[in-house]
Amino acid sequence: MRNTGRNITASLLLLLFVGYWSSVTLFPHVHRIDGHVFVHSHPFSGSSGNPGHNHTPQQFQLIAHLSLLIATAATFVALVFGQAGAAFVFGVRKPVARRGMPVRVYGLRAPPLD
């Protein structure tokens, strides 16, 4: 039962990553308004040269605030986990020693270079 839950969680995380990656990679676009450049990505209908959509100033402000919030939260979480000594990807593993198997050193060396 535990493996099934782990497989479902892994599949959902993979699906979430693929959705996010494809959205960011396939649909970025730029809006230039009053000398400011807004770059963001989301699926939209229309050709790549003419996106065919507009955003209100409130939507641009929301995009800016959400970007700042996500960047700040990610930085804070990374600092907290880094200070706590937590490993982000893999835990530190101890080397495995086989008990009952002595280490034998035979004193062999390479032949001379004559």
Side-chain angles (χ1 to χ4, degrees):
M1 183 69 179
R2 186 173 178 174
N3 264 348
T4 305
R6 200 175 274 182
N7 288 342
I8 291 171
T9 302
S11 299
L12 290 175
L13 285 174
L14 180 63
L15 184 66
L16 178 68
F17 172 76
V18 168
Y20 173 76
W21 180 83
S22 61
S23 176
V24 169
T25 305
L26 300 175
F27 303 109
H29 56 280
V30 176
H31 297 276
R32 290 180 180 84
I33 298 175
D34 297 332
H36 295 276
V37 177
F38 295 93
V39 179
H40 65 282
S41 61
H42 57 84
F44 57 87
S45 60
S47 64
S48 60
N50 182 12
H53 77 282
N54 292 318
H55 297 287
T56 65
Q58 291 82 13
Q59 289 173 334
F60 283 123
Q61 188 175 17
L62 178 64
I63 290 169
H65 285 304
L66 288 176
S67 298
L68 179 63
L69 177 69
I70 295 294
T72 305
T75 303
F76 179 73
V77 168
L79 287 174
V80 167
F81 278 112
Q83 290 297 322
F88 284 104
V89 180
F90 299 108
V92 178
R93 302 179 90 183
K94 294 181 181 178
V96 177
R98 298 178 88 184
R99 299 195 189 275
M101 298 285 293
V103 177
R104 296 187 177 114
V105 177
Y106 292 107
L108 299 175
R109 65 179 186 87
L113 296 172
D114 288 330

